[in-house]
Amino acid sequence: MVTLEYLVQYAKQTGFIFQGSEIYGGLANTWDYGPLGSNLKKNIKEAWLKKFVKQAPNVVALDSSILLNPMVWQASGHLSGFSDPLIENKTSNQRYRADKLILAHDPTQKPDGWTEDEMYDYIMKHQIKDPVSKTSDWLPIRKFNMMFKTFQGVVEETANEVYLRPETAQGIFINFKNIQRSTRLKVPFGVGQIGKSFRNEITPGNFIFRTREFEQMELEFFCKPGTELEWFDYWINYMMKFLKDLGINPELLRAEPHAKEALSHYSNATTDIEFKYPWGFDELWGIASRTDFDLTQHQNLSKEDLTYLDPETNERYIPYVIEPSVGVERLLLIFLLNGLEEEKLESGDTRQLLKIHPALAPYKAAILPLVRKEHSQKAKEIQALLAEHFDVVYDETQNIGKRYRRQDAIGTPFCITVDHQTMIDQTVTIRHRDSMEQTRIAIDSLEDFIRKSIKF
Ligand code: GAP
C-alpha cells in the first residue's frame, strides 16, 4: 500500500483532492475535491444509494435540513453528551483527545468506555508525554462538546442559537412519522440519507480521515423489537458485501464488535468495520443497534406520538433501529488506498495504476485520436455520444503511450482509440486498464459494453 504522504501528493497532482483555501495559506484540515475527486464522491454516493436505498429491502430516501430545532439535540443527547475527553498540556498549551493519547501509547488498551478520571489516572500513571513539550504536565480532562454553534437570524443571542448537525440521523428520526404516514411502509423499513455533517473535532487529521466537515451516508432501519439482532447481522453482511463487490481487498477489512461494557447505554450491539490504513486498522463504517432510544426521546420531548401500529398483530410499539453509518470521504480514502499502486511491468518500467471498480472510476472511458489531424473529429463525435450516458474524457495531447499512462494513473478503465481503421469500418480499439489488453469493438457497441462493465 502507498504511504499517506504519497497519496496526498498524488491526489493533488491528479486533481482528486486539494488543500482547502490553499491560495490563502490554507485552512487547517479542510479539503476541496477537484474534477476527479468530485466525480469519485458522486460515484460512491450513487453506489451507496443503489445498494442501500434502491435495491435494499423496503428502504426510501430523505433529504433533511442541516439546521434543526435545538430541541432535537436536547432529545438526542448531543447537547449534554456529544463530547470528547479533552486534555491540555500546561507547558505547550497543546490539546489532545485523551483516549487517542492512550491508544498512541498502547494500542491494546480500550479507553472507549472509560471515565475521564480513569483516563487521567492512566495517563499520569504511565507518564504519557506530550509529543510537543515532552512533559507529562497535564491539566485535568474536561468534556469538549463537538457541535458547531451558530446563530439564526440577525440577533446573536442565546434564543437564536442553532447547531450545524453533527450527524444526519436525527433528521430521519424526527421525520419518522411523516415518512411512515406518507409512504404507508410497514415495519421493517428503512430510511437512507446522504448529507453534510459537522464536528469540531479536537484532533482532526490523517488527510481526509477525520475532518470537521464531512459527508455521511446513514441508514436508519426500523424493525420490530426482538428482531433487531437478526437485522444487525443482515446489515453487517450487506456492508461487507458492498465493500468486497466494489473491489476492496478482504484482507484489509475486519469487523470489530464493541465490548458489552463499552456500549452506549442505548445500544445492545455495535460493531465497527475497520480498514487497514497506512497507520493500522481504524474505523471505516459503524453499525449500531440503537433500540428504541431515539424515537422514545423525541416522543417524550416533542409530545408527538411516535408509536407504530402493527397492522397484522394490532400491537402498538416504538420500533427498534439498526443504523449503518459511514463517511463518504472515508470510503473515498479507502478506494484510493486499496487501488493505487506502482506496478512493475515486464519491460522493466513501472506504471502508476489506480485499480478501482469501473462503477467508481471518475471517468469510465478516455477517447483518444491516434493522429490528431486525422482522427480528432471522429473521436469528438464518440465523446459526445458517450457523454450522454457516462463521464468520459477526451485527450489528444502527447503520444498515445503517455496518454494511456495518464488514464491508468487516474483509474480510467477503458481507453478508446480512434485510428485509421475506424474511418473504414466504424470500429475502435479498446485498451483495458488492468491487463493493458487491446480489443476491437464497433462504435455502436460501446455504450452497451461500458454499461455492462460498471454493473455491480
Ligand atoms: N449516527 C451515528 C454516527 O454518526 P459515528 O460513528 O459518529 O456515528 C459514523 O459516525 C461514520 O461517520 C463513521 O464511521 C465515519 O465513517 C464517519 N465520520 C464520523 N466522524 C467523522 C469525521 N470527523 N471525519 C470524517 N468522517 C467521519
Side-chain angles (χ1 to χ4, degrees), residues 295-336:
L295 289 179
T296 306
Q297 290 289 103
H298 288 304
Q299 171 167 286
N300 291 345
L301 198 64
S302 67
K303 311 283 183 243
E304 284 282 326
D305 178 4
L306 297 183
T307 55
Y308 167 78
L309 179 65
D310 193 319
E312 267 138 45
T313 62
N314 245 357
E315 257 180 289
R316 198 169 261 291
Y317 57 81
I318 293 191
Y320 271 34
V321 169
I322 302 300
E323 177 194 66
S325 168
V326 68
V328 178
E329 295 81 358
R330 288 232 179 136
L331 282 176
L332 191 146
L333 180 60
I334 74 155
F335 284 118
L336 292 182

Side-chain angles (χ1 to χ4, degrees), residues 29 31 45 63 71 77 109 154 159 188 201 204 248 260 271 293 306 361 380 391 404 417-418 422 435 453:
N29 296 294
W31 302 97
K45 288 188 269 186
D63 184 0
M71 285 175 80
Q109 295 298 321
V154 290
E201 298 277 1
I248 298 293
K260 280 263 173 301
T271 289
F293 173 78
L306 297 183
K380 282 179 181 164
D391 290 306
Y404 286 155
T417 307
V418 176
T422 312
S435 64
S453 81

Side-chain angles (χ1 to χ4, degrees), residues 2 11 47 63 72 74-75 102 149 158 179 181 194 216 359 364 382 388 409 413 415 431 443 445:
V2 298
D63 184 0
V72 172
Q74 189 184 331
I102 294 168
K149 200 188 282 183
T158 316
I179 295 168
R181 198 186 298 126
I194 300 181
Q216 283 186 311
K364 307 308 174 207
I382 296 174
E388 285 278 338
C415 284
R431 175 186 176 272
I443 294 171
S445 309

Side-chain angles (χ1 to χ4, degrees), residues 241-426:
K241 182 168 180 337
F242 177 82
L243 294 168
K244 288 173 193 167
D245 285 352
L246 284 173
I248 298 293
N249 176 357
E251 285 172 19
L252 300 177
L253 294 170
R254 70 179 188 195
E256 283 286 287
H258 287 204
K260 280 263 173 301
E261 56 285 3
L263 291 176
S264 308
H265 59 280
Y266 51 78
S267 174
N268 60 3
T270 299
T271 289
D272 288 342
I273 291 187
E274 296 186 340
F275 178 80
K276 196 170 183 189
Y277 300 91
W279 59 91
F281 273 105
D282 209 338
E283 181 182 344
L284 165 66
W285 197 334
I287 174 165
S289 170
R290 299 179 64 96
T291 64
D292 58 358
F293 173 78
D294 302 271
L295 289 179
T296 306
Q297 290 289 103
H298 288 304
Q299 171 167 286
N300 291 345
L301 198 64
S302 67
K303 311 283 183 243
E304 284 282 326
D305 178 4
L306 297 183
T307 55
Y308 167 78
L309 179 65
D310 193 319
E312 267 138 45
T313 62
N314 245 357
E315 257 180 289
R316 198 169 261 291
Y317 57 81
I318 293 191
Y320 271 34
V321 169
I322 302 300
E323 177 194 66
S325 168
V326 68
V328 178
E329 295 81 358
R330 288 232 179 136
L331 282 176
L332 191 146
L333 180 60
I334 74 155
F335 284 118
L336 292 182
L337 286 169
N338 180 75
L340 190 57
E341 59 183 76
E342 296 265 353
E343 189 189 55
K344 272 239 164 308
L345 300 174
E346 273 173 20
S347 63
D349 288 351
T350 54
R351 66 167 177 158
Q352 197 174 39
L353 175 65
L354 179 65
K355 270 191 179 170
I356 193 165
H357 193 288
L360 300 178
Y363 295 123
K364 307 308 174 207
I367 298 99
L368 318 173
L370 188 62
V371 179
R372 179 156 51 93
K373 275 195 195 134
E374 291 169 29
H375 308 129
S376 61
Q377 195 190 336
K378 189 78 196 164
K380 282 179 181 164
E381 280 170 27
I382 296 174
Q383 179 200 11
L385 193 84
L386 294 178
E388 285 278 338
H389 313 280
F390 314 107
D391 290 306
V392 292
V393 63
Y394 172 85
D395 187 3
E396 59 177 25
T397 56
Q398 296 186 299
N399 70 46
I400 196 79
K402 285 195 174 138
R403 283 183 270 166
Y404 286 155
R405 287 286 183 275
R406 268 205 296 275
Q407 298 304 325
D408 292 344
I410 63 170
T412 310
F414 307 110
C415 284
I416 296 168
T417 307
V418 176
D419 55 17
H420 179 64
Q421 184 79 21
T422 312
M423 313 317 256
I424 300 167
D425 64 4
Q426 302 295 311

